[in-house]
Amino acid sequence: MKTTAIAPKERILLIDGLRGFALLGILIAHITYWFNAGPTPNDIFQKYTNDIGFQIAGAFEGIFISGKFYTFFSFLFGLSFALQMESKSFTIGRFVWRLFILGLIGLAHSLHWRGDILSIYFVVGLFMILFRNASDKVLIIASLLLILNLPIRIRDGYRFFYPTPPPTAQQQKQNEQKNKSYWDTVKKGDYRELLTVNVPAIVDKFDFQFDSGRIYITLGYFLLGLLAGRRKWFAKWEEHRLFFKKWLKISGFATLGIIAVAVPLGIFFGSGEPKPWFNLLMSALYDVHCMLLTIFYIVGMTLLLQKKSWQGALQNFSVIGKMALTSYLSQTLIGIILFYGVGFNLMGEVNPWICLLMTIPVFVGQIIFSRWWLSNYTYGPVEWLWRSLTYLRWQPLKRGDLVAEF
């Protein structure tokens, strides 16, 4: 067995910090509603309907979190792709193999939690190969059209003029029974039943991705991240400081403008019988809102994390970001232990505003663990396995270790 010393590549601390912040947002999005990635029966929320804490938590999650951090994380994935392309060891074959391994990890993750995003990244990531040599202009146009969910806008426009019949009462009853069955399995089932119920859910997940347009939006942010990496927005961020400040103002004020338009529309037209034009308009405004707030978070955190007063936050976010895959998967493990029937079974039993507060000890615990791990080891445990399988050689895990080929 041949051994050689391979040092890890120099990392960009800012990107790790942004990745850690994105994982905080993802944790909030998932923990607020009990890490339930499936449909929630209608009666579960009824007991919280008149609770002010529930309403505040729901408004906060809906306005500031939902739909904004899977996009943030996707942007960073595209940025990482751009950095890989600069490496002399980068090949298309290695990238596909690396994606394939990520897809296998995602498949195992999906069997435990149907909200997995890694299996989506495997599929969408393959399209990055087609765009690797695209011009900046093509990347800008393609990313903008996808981020604004153009395929779904076209579909919804067609349905506006040629509406499909609504589900029958029997179909609605069947859907509700299906939702209740899944909920009961997660709440009361054992480990084997949890795995079994999540097998068909993998297909349901992709149906949701295409039906909602999230899979197109994800690709759009991949491409925007590729553009950012190519233009060195973060590797040489000082040269782009004014660019970041400009987009902070644009995205911030535009977000306020969207809210100023959407709130009156909701008040005057949101009640009563469903209005197809209203739903079409609000859906489009929501996608624009998510895009603007995602950009605001990216450029805003980039500026903040470079301030001297924020260096402590940068260090804390970056240790999570260096172990992003491990941290993402461990969040699911914590969620299952806390909320599922195989653990403490708190799903639906704890008010979402309390769940929102639980983000603090969980994320702090992840920071403490990541700091300890990285003080002793070169990579996070899942990152080490992923990297070792990618290069088909055991990578150094403990600091000072030699690398060994299979």
Side-chain angles (χ1 to χ4, degrees):
M1 184 171 62
K2 181 181 177 182
T3 60
T4 54
I6 295 182
K9 295 178 181 178
E10 181 181 354
R11 302 182 65 100
I12 300 176
L13 188 64
L14 172 61
I15 296 176
D16 285 329
L18 292 174
R19 197 174 283 118
F21 176 72
L23 283 165
L24 172 60
I26 289 172
L27 175 61
I28 295 173
H30 295 158
I31 203 172
T32 303
Y33 295 113
W34 317 292
F35 264 83
N36 178 34
T40 303
N42 296 329
D43 61 324
I44 300 300
F45 287 126
Q46 289 179 357
K47 60 182 177 181
Y48 300 118
T49 301
N50 297 320
D51 184 273
I52 185 64
F54 169 76
Q55 295 172 359
I56 293 174
F60 174 80
E61 196 274 340
I63 295 173
F64 298 105
I65 304 297
S66 179
K68 288 83 178 176
F69 282 93
Y70 84 89
T71 53
F72 197 140
F73 208 61
S74 299
F75 170 83
L76 295 172
F77 185 91
L79 179 58
S80 296
F81 175 78
L83 297 177
Q84 288 171 358
M85 287 186 64
E86 295 177 354
S87 172
K88 293 180 180 179
S89 63
F90 176 86
T91 64
I92 297 302
R94 177 165 289 167
F95 175 71
V96 173
W97 173 240
R98 177 179 169 85
L99 267 183
F100 177 73
I101 298 168
L102 184 66
L104 292 180
I105 296 173
L107 179 61
H109 189 215
S110 294
L111 293 176
H112 295 81
W113 186 63
R114 60 168 59 187
D116 165 73
I117 193 67
L118 304 178
S119 51
I120 304 297
Y121 277 18
F122 164 64
V123 175
V124 179
L126 293 173
F127 286 89
M128 294 292 284
I129 299 172
L130 302 177
F131 288 93
R132 69 187 188 280
N133 295 321
S135 66
D136 288 357
K137 183 177 181 180
V138 169
L139 290 180
I140 292 171
I141 295 173
S143 62
L144 182 61
L145 294 178
L146 289 167
I147 287 171
L148 292 176
N149 216 352
L150 181 63
I152 300 303
R153 299 283 78 80
I154 294 174
R155 183 205 66 188
D156 289 349
Y158 177 84
R159 289 181 178 177
F160 178 77
F161 292 102
Y162 303 98
T164 56
T168 64
Q170 183 179 2
Q171 289 174 327
Q172 291 179 343
K173 184 178 180 180
Q174 289 175 343
N175 288 336
E176 184 63 22
Q177 289 174 342
K178 181 181 178 181
N179 297 348
K180 186 67 166 57
S181 176
Y182 173 76
W183 179 271
D184 290 341
T185 301
V186 172
K187 286 278 292 176
K188 303 173 184 177
D190 57 23
Y191 180 68
R192 180 187 62 82
E193 291 172 321
L194 177 63
L195 297 182
T196 301
V197 78
N198 279 329
V199 170
I202 296 174
V203 176
D204 294 339
K205 176 176 65 177
F206 276 91
D207 286 343
F208 166 75
Q209 286 284 326
F210 281 103
D211 188 60
S212 65
R214 281 198 171 201
I215 198 163
Y216 309 120
I217 295 172
T218 297
L219 177 57
Y221 280 100
F222 278 12
L223 298 180
L224 186 61
L226 173 58
L227 177 69
R230 182 184 291 178
R231 292 193 171 185
K232 308 291 185 185
W233 288 348
F234 297 92
K236 299 179 180 180
W237 88 274
E238 281 283 1
E239 298 178 8
H240 301 92
R241 183 189 291 269
L242 294 179
F243 172 83
F244 281 101
K245 288 184 176 181
K246 173 184 176 181
W247 276 100
L248 182 70
K249 293 179 181 178
I250 292 174
S251 59
F253 284 115
T255 298
L256 293 176
I258 290 291
I259 294 174
V261 171
V263 170
L265 283 173
I267 293 174
F268 288 106
F269 302 104
S271 59
E273 290 294 322
K275 306 172 183 64
W277 69 266
F278 174 78
N279 294 335
L280 187 66
L281 177 59
M282 294 302 286
S283 177
L285 287 176
Y286 176 75
D287 286 334
V288 176
H289 164 71
C290 288
M291 177 190 71
L292 292 171
L293 206 49
T294 299
I295 294 173
F296 182 82
Y297 287 153
I298 292 172
V299 297
M301 288 306 299
T302 297
L303 292 169
L304 282 176
L305 292 178
Q306 294 305 314
K307 291 180 175 291
K308 289 184 178 180
S309 58
W310 276 72
Q311 290 309 292
L314 174 61
Q315 293 297 327
N316 287 327
F317 282 132
S318 66
V319 293
I320 295 258
K322 289 175 183 176
M323 295 173 50
L325 185 54
T326 296
S327 299
Y328 172 70
L329 295 175
S330 64
Q331 286 180 1
T332 298
L333 177 62
I334 293 168
I336 290 174
I337 291 173
L338 287 175
F339 299 110
Y340 284 32
V342 294
F344 293 106
N345 199 22
L346 296 178
M347 183 178 286
E349 308 297 330
V350 181
N351 195 308
W353 75 264
I354 297 177
C355 295
L356 184 59
L357 293 179
M358 291 169 66
T359 301
I360 299 172
V362 171
F363 197 71
V364 169
Q366 287 197 295
I367 291 173
I368 294 172
F369 173 76
S370 298
R371 280 188 173 278
W372 170 80
W373 183 273
L374 291 174
S375 67
N376 295 283
Y377 302 98
T378 308
Y379 305 104
V382 185
E383 285 78 8
W384 170 78
L385 178 62
W386 189 23
R387 188 178 179 87
S388 295
L389 291 174
T390 297
Y391 289 95
L392 296 178
R393 61 179 67 182
W394 294 119
Q395 298 296 301
L397 184 55
K398 288 187 177 180
R399 294 190 176 278
D401 278 357
L402 296 177
V403 79
E405 293 184 356
F406 292 147

